[in-house]
Amino acid sequence: MEFCTSLVVILASVSVIVAQDVEESYLVINGSLPMAHTDASYICATIDWWPDNKCDYHQCPWGSSSALNLDLSHPFLAKAVQAFKRMRIRVGGSLQDQVLYKVGNYSGPCHPFTKTKGGLFGFSKGCLPMSRWDELNQFFNQTRALVTFGLNALYGRQQVKKGAWGGDWNSSNARDFIKYTVSKGYKIDSWEFGNELSGKGIGAMVDADQYGSDVIELRGIIDDLYRRFRPKPLLVAPGGFFDKQWFATLLQSSGSEIVNVLTLHLYNLGPGVDRNLVKKILDPHFLSRASVTFAGLQQTIDMDGPWTSAWIGESGGAYNSGGLHVSDTFVNSFWYLDQLGMAAKYHTKVYCRQTLIGGNYGLLNQTTFMPNPDYYRQGSFNRDYIFYFFISR
C-alpha cells in the first residue's frame, strides 16, 4: 500500500482568523511520490489481560474483555476481525508478565487475576488454562487473524529493589506453552518477550544486557521447537517505551538476527483523566512531537539493528484505559489517523491499537460489541486504497 492521491484526506489546523488578515492560500499535493508503503498486516489491535475490576479515575471500563473471559462466540466480534483482510491480534498488556500457563510441568493453581495488595499493578498472578488457549486459537483460525502473543518475561526473576527485577528468566513454563502450541498446530506469527520492562519500566524493569541474554534463550527455544517450520515465528521485543540507550544495548548484547522486531509503546496524549485531551488531539503541533520518538527508534535500528523492523506494539493515545467520552468518539480519530500516517512515514510495519475491545479506547464497545468511530478509520489503511493525508504543521 502506498500513500499518494487515489484517496486524499486533508486535516487542517483551524485558527482564529481576524477578517482583515485573511489571505488566499493554495495547497498543492504531489501525489506521484509515495511517502511510505504498508501492507495488509499493518493494522493490528490488542486483546489485553485486565479483569473487570481494573479501574482508573473511579471508572471500571473493561468489563469482560480480557483474554481470559472475552465472549469469543459473539457474532459481532468475529465479523469485526473478519472485515479486514488479515488483522493482526496482539495478546498482551500490563499483566502479561504475571501470566502462568497451565501446561507441562506447571503444577500450581490456575486462577484468574484478583486484586492483591502489593501485587504488580495491584493484582495477583493469573493463569491461562489450555482449554481457554484452545478457544482463543479457534477464534483466531475462524477470523484468519495474524497472532502476536506476549510471553511472561518476569518468570523466575526476583525483585532486587523497588521496580527493578534481576536474575535469569526461567524459560521452562514458556517453553512448555510454546511446545503445546506447536503440537496443536496453532499458527502464531510472532512471540513477544515481555511488556513495558524497558528503560525505567512501568511497574517493573529489567536490565538491557540481561534482557539480551534472555532473548537469545528464547530464540533458541523458537528455533528448536519450530525446526521443521518455514517460516518460523518472529521474535518480538521489548514491547515497551522508548529509551534509546536501553534499546541499543538490547540489540548489541543479543546480536544479529536474534530479535526480528523492535516493538514500541506510545501514549503521547498523556493520562486519560487529562481535561485537555481534546485540545491536544486537535493541536497538530502537539501531535507532531511524537515524531521525535519515531525518528529515535529508526535511528537506533539503522545504527544497531538493521536486521530488525519497527512496530508500534501498543498505542491507545491516552494511558490508564483512555479518556472517558473522548477515546471512543469521533474526535479521537484526528489523533489516530495522524499516528497511522506518521508511523508509516517512519517505516513502521505494524501499528497495534490498544484495544480491540476493552477500556475507553476500544475499537469496539465492550458491552454491545458495536464499532466505535476509530474502527472505521483504520479500514482506510487496510483496504486497497492508495492514499496520503496531511496535517498542516
Side-chain angles (χ1 to χ4, degrees):
M1 189 182 300
E2 297 178 345
F3 294 93
C4 52
T5 59
S6 293
L7 175 65
V8 179
V9 180
I10 302 175
L11 306 180
S13 62
V14 180
S15 303
V16 176
I17 301 174
V18 180
Q20 60 266 31
D21 295 331
V22 172
E23 294 182 8
E24 188 172 351
S25 301
Y26 296 92
L27 176 64
V28 179
I29 300 173
N30 181 357
S32 62
L33 298 174
M35 290 281 295
H37 299 260
T38 64
D39 61 25
S41 64
Y42 181 63
I43 294 298
C44 165
T46 68
I47 295 177
D48 212 308
W49 294 99
W50 289 120
D52 59 5
N53 56 348
K54 152 68 171 172
C55 305
D56 297 290
Y57 319 123
H58 308 292
Q59 318 160 25
C60 306
W62 287 86
S64 296
S65 62
S66 162
L68 293 176
N69 62 16
L70 177 62
D71 181 4
L72 301 172
S73 66
H74 197 292
F76 290 178
L77 184 66
K79 290 181 185 299
V81 177
Q82 289 169 332
F84 292 81
K85 187 175 180 181
R86 291 298 300 274
M87 177 181 261
R88 181 179 299 277
I89 300 293
R90 180 241 184 187
V91 181
S94 297
L95 295 181
Q96 83 177 49
D97 294 306
Q98 298 186 87
V99 178
L100 304 170
Y101 316 115
K102 183 64 174 177
V103 65
N105 292 323
Y106 177 74
S107 59
C110 193
H111 302 307
F113 294 101
T114 57
K115 282 198 170 183
T116 301
K117 187 176 181 180
L120 194 59
F121 302 107
F123 286 91
S124 67
K125 290 182 173 66
C127 178
L128 175 64
M130 291 305 96
S131 58
R132 180 58 177 179
W133 184 229
D134 295 340
E135 292 170 358
L136 284 164
N137 277 278
Q138 290 169 11
F139 174 79
F140 298 147
N141 183 61
Q142 173 193 357
T143 57
R144 299 184 68 250
L146 289 168
V147 180
T148 296
F149 187 91
L151 295 166
N152 180 345
L154 287 182
Y155 191 65
R157 303 190 204 272
Q158 300 295 322
Q159 188 168 356
V160 293
K161 60 181 180 180
K162 186 176 181 180
W165 294 63
D168 294 334
W169 173 55
N170 184 336
S171 63
S172 60
N173 194 221
R175 182 185 181 90
D176 287 344
F177 177 56
I178 297 173
K179 184 177 181 180
Y180 175 87
T181 301
V182 173
S183 72
K184 298 288 285 188
Y186 298 149
K187 296 179 181 179
I188 304 299
D189 175 81
S190 42
W191 294 100
E192 185 174 33
F193 188 65
N195 184 85
E196 297 178 357
L197 302 175
S198 57
K200 296 180 180 179
I202 302 297
M205 62 83 65
V206 175
D207 176 76
D209 283 313
Q210 177 64 60
Y211 220 78
S213 174
D214 296 329
V215 293
I216 291 172
E217 182 167 357
L218 178 56
R219 166 56 65 195
I221 292 171
I222 293 172
D223 288 348
D224 179 34
L225 296 179
Y226 287 94
R227 58 187 175 277
R228 296 187 178 90
F229 292 79
R230 294 293 183 277
K232 297 175 183 176
L234 301 174
L235 194 164
V236 177
F241 293 96
F242 184 61
D243 180 303
K244 188 176 180 64
Q245 184 58 51
W246 195 100
F247 273 59
T249 301
L250 168 64
L251 292 169
Q252 294 161 7
S253 62
S254 58
S256 178
E257 307 298 335
I258 298 298
V259 176
N260 302 115
V261 176
L262 284 182
T263 42
L264 172 71
H265 290 188
L266 188 61
Y267 287 86
N268 59 311
L269 296 179
V273 74
D274 189 345
R275 295 179 181 274
N276 293 315
L277 273 184
V278 172
K279 182 179 179 180
K280 290 179 177 179
I281 290 169
L282 296 178
D283 182 351
H285 301 291
F286 179 86
L287 296 180
S288 292
R289 297 178 191 174
S291 64
V292 176
T293 301
F294 284 108
L297 180 60
Q298 191 57 53
Q299 290 168 5
T300 301
I301 288 175
D302 291 343
M303 292 181 61
D304 299 295
W307 59 87
T308 65
S309 59
W311 292 5
I312 292 296
E314 182 183 313
S315 182
Y319 59 80
N320 288 345
S321 303
L324 181 66
H325 304 317
V326 175
S327 297
D328 59 350
T329 64
F330 174 80
V331 72
N332 198 63
S333 301
F334 289 89
W335 161 79
Y336 191 32
L337 283 172
D338 185 70
Q339 279 279 293
L340 289 172
M342 188 184 298
K345 177 183 175 182
Y346 284 95
H347 311 296
T348 306
K349 300 304 181 185
V350 170
Y351 192 103
C352 293
R353 168 63 181 262
Q354 175 83 345
T355 60
L356 175 61
I357 186 168
N360 293 312
Y361 38 37
L363 294 171
L364 305 178
N365 181 283
Q366 59 96 355
T367 302
T368 66
F369 288 70
M370 292 294 290
N372 287 322
D374 279 358
Y375 175 84
Y376 299 103
R377 309 295 169 246
Q378 62 184 7
S380 300
F381 278 77
N382 197 65
R383 299 189 183 95
D384 295 328
Y385 291 123
I386 299 175
F387 74 102
Y388 175 64
F389 77 92
F390 287 81
I391 291 185
S392 63
R393 290 183 160 87

